[in-house]
């Protein structure tokens, strides 16, 4: 008995030792430091490194690389120019090796790339304030599995329930679709969807709504590491060679039917919206043609809206859609977005046929900085009539 007690105490000592060791491994520098003027100071400790730099989306259009200077204490440092209110991503390069900041525990994954993040805010209501967690009522973000009979799979999606959701009152639904290489976590992590919705709803700028963020890859059941294929390296094209029983658009009503049967939703067209970025914008374009009377609000964000298909079928589908008079058909894209020609072609088609739509264009390219803006604008237009 005494020996067993002795062994147990030894095991406890080992566990405590490892816990203390983890504490001792915390970085001995602070990084990043957001200064009062909006500039940001990055610090990295490595007295043996020869060359260190930081690369981040500090400019409106392109990523910027800033060389860092080594101090006598072995800390490399650099301070940016004052930055506008925004959520920023960055990483370090140490002697040619890309690494994340060991002093910053806030990390996002975009396909297979990990980057640190930080937020700059200068006042209530600016973009940085909108993207951060504020002292407002919070909605609930859940990862939910559902059955897709069309695809023959159990699949996962993310569901945002507003703070007012109590299981009694019914709410409208916005379906929010990710781009190529993304999954059901993309809008929640990279797009700050729950923070944006919490803050918009709290300020009265958006009505309380359910937001559904499905996985748009019909050959993948869920985000990497969260289904039976295990911890493979995501590359944006995982398992595409297997083919799928149906397309995302063809299987989309499986999602709508599950949401309507498991949540308190307003089950009519005027209480449904669908929007997506890039590939998800293309999915939105296809959904608008396949189910023209199921949704009343459509938002195409930097959309991969391909027009090179059966012209007669496309004409018939879009004629039926706009004859049904949707409340909003909204197109948004950045001036430098590589999908601008495709969106111009779509707009030329809509103009030639006299179909009503709204168009929003801003600076920048094909990046999350713009898609967070588009979500913010689109959400404020919904369900107010």
């Amino acid at each position: 008995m005494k020996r067993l007690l002795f062994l147990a105490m030894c095991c406890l000592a080992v566990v405590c030792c490892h816990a203390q060791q983890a504490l001792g491994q915390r970085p001995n520098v602070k990084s990043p430091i957001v200064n009062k003027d909006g500039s940001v100071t990055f610090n990295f400790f490595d007295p043996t490194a020869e060359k260190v730099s930081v690369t981040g989306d500090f400019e409106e259009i392109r990523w910027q690389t800033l060389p860092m200077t080594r101090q006598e204490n072995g800390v490399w440092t650099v301070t940016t120019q004052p930055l506008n209110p925004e959520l920023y991503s960055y990483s370090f390069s140490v002697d040619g090796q890309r690494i994340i900041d060991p002093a910053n525990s806030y990390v996002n994954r975009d396909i297979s790339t990990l980057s640190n993040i930080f937020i700059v805010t200068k006042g209530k209501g600016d973009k940085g304030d909108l993207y951060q967690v504020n002292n407002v009522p919070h909605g609930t973000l859940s990862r939910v599995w559902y059955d897709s009979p069309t695809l023959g799979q159990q699949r996962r999606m993310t569901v945002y329930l507003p703070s007012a959701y109590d299981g009694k009152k019914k709410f409208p639904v916005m379906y929010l679709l990710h781009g190529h290489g993304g999954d059901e976590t993309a809008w929640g992590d990279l797009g700050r969807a729950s923070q944006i919705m919490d803050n918009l709803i709290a300020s009265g700028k958006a009505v309380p709504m359910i937001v559904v963020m499905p996985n748009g890859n019909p050959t993948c059941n869920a985000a990497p590491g969260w289904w039976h294929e295990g911890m493979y390296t995501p590359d944006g094209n995982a398992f595409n060679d297997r083919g799928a029983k149906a397309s995302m658009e063809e299987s989309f009503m499986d999602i709508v039917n599950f949401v309507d049967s498991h949540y308190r939703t307003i089950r009519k067209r005027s209480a449904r919206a669908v929007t997506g970025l890039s590939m998800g914008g293309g999915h939105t374009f296809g959904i608008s043609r396949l189910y023209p009377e199921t949704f009343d609000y459509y938002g195409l964000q930097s959309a991969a809206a391909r027009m090179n298909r059966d012209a007669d079928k496309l004409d018939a589908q879009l004629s039926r859609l706009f004859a049904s008079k949707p409340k909003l058909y909204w197109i948004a894209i950045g001036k430098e977005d590589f999908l601008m020609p495709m969106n111009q072609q779509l707009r030329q088609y809509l103009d030639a046929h006299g179909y009503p739509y709204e168009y929003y264009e801003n600076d920048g390219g094909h990046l999350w900085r713009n898609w967070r803006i588009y979500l913010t604008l689109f959400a404020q237009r919904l369900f107010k009539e």
Side-chain angles (χ1 to χ4, degrees):
M1 184 67 182
K2 290 182 178 180
R3 180 173 177 80
L4 289 176
L5 180 60
F6 173 76
L7 290 174
M9 292 178 67
C10 287
C11 290
L12 180 60
V14 169
V15 171
C16 291
C17 180
H18 281 297
Q20 291 301 314
Q21 181 179 341
L23 287 173
Q25 290 174 346
R26 289 180 178 176
N28 57 0
V29 295
K30 292 184 177 180
S31 180
I33 299 171
V34 180
N35 303 307
K36 290 184 178 180
D37 65 351
S39 65
V40 179
T41 300
F42 299 96
N43 295 306
F44 176 74
F45 177 72
D46 187 346
T48 66
E50 296 294 330
K51 184 179 180 180
V52 180
S53 62
V54 59
T55 298
D57 53 351
F58 310 137
E59 297 183 347
E60 289 291 332
I61 299 174
R62 63 187 60 84
W63 287 68
Q64 182 182 24
T65 297
L66 302 174
M68 301 175 71
T69 302
R70 181 169 56 191
Q71 310 299 303
E72 291 184 358
N73 60 358
V75 174
W76 295 76
T77 187
V78 68
T79 299
T80 70
Q81 296 294 318
L83 302 179
N84 292 323
E86 183 57 81
L87 182 146
Y88 294 91
S89 300
Y90 73 97
S91 64
F92 290 147
S93 175
V94 182
D95 293 336
Q97 180 68 41
R98 184 186 188 277
I99 67 169
I100 57 174
D101 185 347
N104 184 355
S105 59
Y106 298 99
V107 179
N108 272 342
R109 176 184 63 85
D110 192 355
I111 308 181
S112 60
T113 301
L114 299 179
S115 299
N116 294 104
I117 60 171
F118 65 91
I119 293 175
V120 174
T121 180
K122 298 181 180 179
K124 191 67 177 175
D126 65 25
K127 284 191 288 185
D129 179 68
L130 183 64
Y131 303 156
Q132 71 180 5
V133 178
N134 288 311
N135 188 18
V136 298
H138 300 300
T140 300
L141 203 65
S142 303
R143 311 295 193 201
V144 178
W145 287 90
Y146 71 98
D147 181 56
S148 175
T150 306
L151 292 173
Q153 298 173 351
Q154 285 287 317
R155 295 178 57 76
R156 201 173 79 142
M157 59 184 171
T158 299
V159 178
Y160 168 88
L161 299 177
S163 62
Y165 189 89
D166 59 2
K168 299 177 182 179
K169 181 182 177 180
K170 294 182 178 181
F171 291 86
V173 183
M174 173 173 62
Y175 294 86
L176 184 59
L177 314 182
H178 63 78
H180 177 74
D183 50 59
E184 73 275 12
T185 68
W187 268 111
D189 294 343
L190 298 162
R192 306 292 283 185
S194 61
Q195 290 84 4
I196 290 172
M197 295 310 302
D198 280 351
N199 291 324
L200 288 179
I201 293 170
S203 65
K205 294 180 179 179
V207 303
M209 67 185 78
I210 298 170
V211 182
V212 177
M213 295 160 268
N215 189 307
N217 307 300
T219 58
C220 298
N221 300 30
W226 287 98
W227 59 301
H228 58 264
E229 289 295 343
M231 297 182 181
Y232 58 91
T233 300
D235 65 359
N237 297 295
F239 311 107
N240 282 351
D241 57 341
R242 295 181 180 177
K245 292 184 177 180
S247 68
M248 173 62 173
E249 295 95 323
E250 291 167 338
S251 66
F252 198 73
M253 289 308 297
D254 292 347
I255 298 171
V256 176
N257 292 335
F258 177 88
V259 170
D260 280 347
S261 64
H262 287 74
Y263 298 95
R264 297 288 290 172
T265 64
I266 302 173
R267 303 179 188 182
K268 57 183 181 180
R269 179 187 189 186
S270 60
R272 295 194 189 105
V274 58
T275 183
L277 68 92
S278 193
M279 180 184 77
H283 289 158
T284 300
F285 183 53
I287 290 165
S288 73
R289 302 192 319 274
L290 288 180
Y291 317 107
E293 297 176 0
T294 301
F295 306 88
D296 235 343
Y297 304 86
Y298 301 94
L300 282 65
Q301 309 177 26
S302 306
R306 293 177 172 83
M307 304 288 288
N308 56 341
R309 55 188 78 239
D310 186 322
D312 292 337
K313 184 177 181 180
L314 183 70
D315 288 344
Q317 289 176 329
L318 289 176
S319 175
R320 182 184 172 194
L321 169 66
F322 285 99
S324 71
K325 298 182 179 180
K327 291 183 178 179
L328 179 64
Y329 200 88
W330 192 75
I331 299 171
I333 193 168
K335 294 177 182 177
E336 289 77 29
D337 198 306
F338 73 93
L339 290 179
M340 176 61 83
M342 193 177 291
N343 282 251
Q344 290 173 331
Q345 184 182 9
L346 173 59
R347 292 178 60 215
Q348 289 168 359
Y349 179 95
L350 297 176
D351 290 337
H353 289 77
Y355 294 147
Y357 67 94
E358 295 186 22
Y359 179 66
Y360 177 82
E361 182 178 297
N362 64 336
D363 293 329
H366 205 74
L367 70 179
W368 278 103
R369 178 176 296 182
N370 272 347
W371 302 323
R372 287 189 290 265
I373 293 172
Y374 303 157
L375 170 59
T376 301
L377 295 174
F378 186 72
Q380 295 179 74
R381 301 292 305 279
L382 306 180
F383 315 130
K384 291 187 174 181
E385 297 181 9

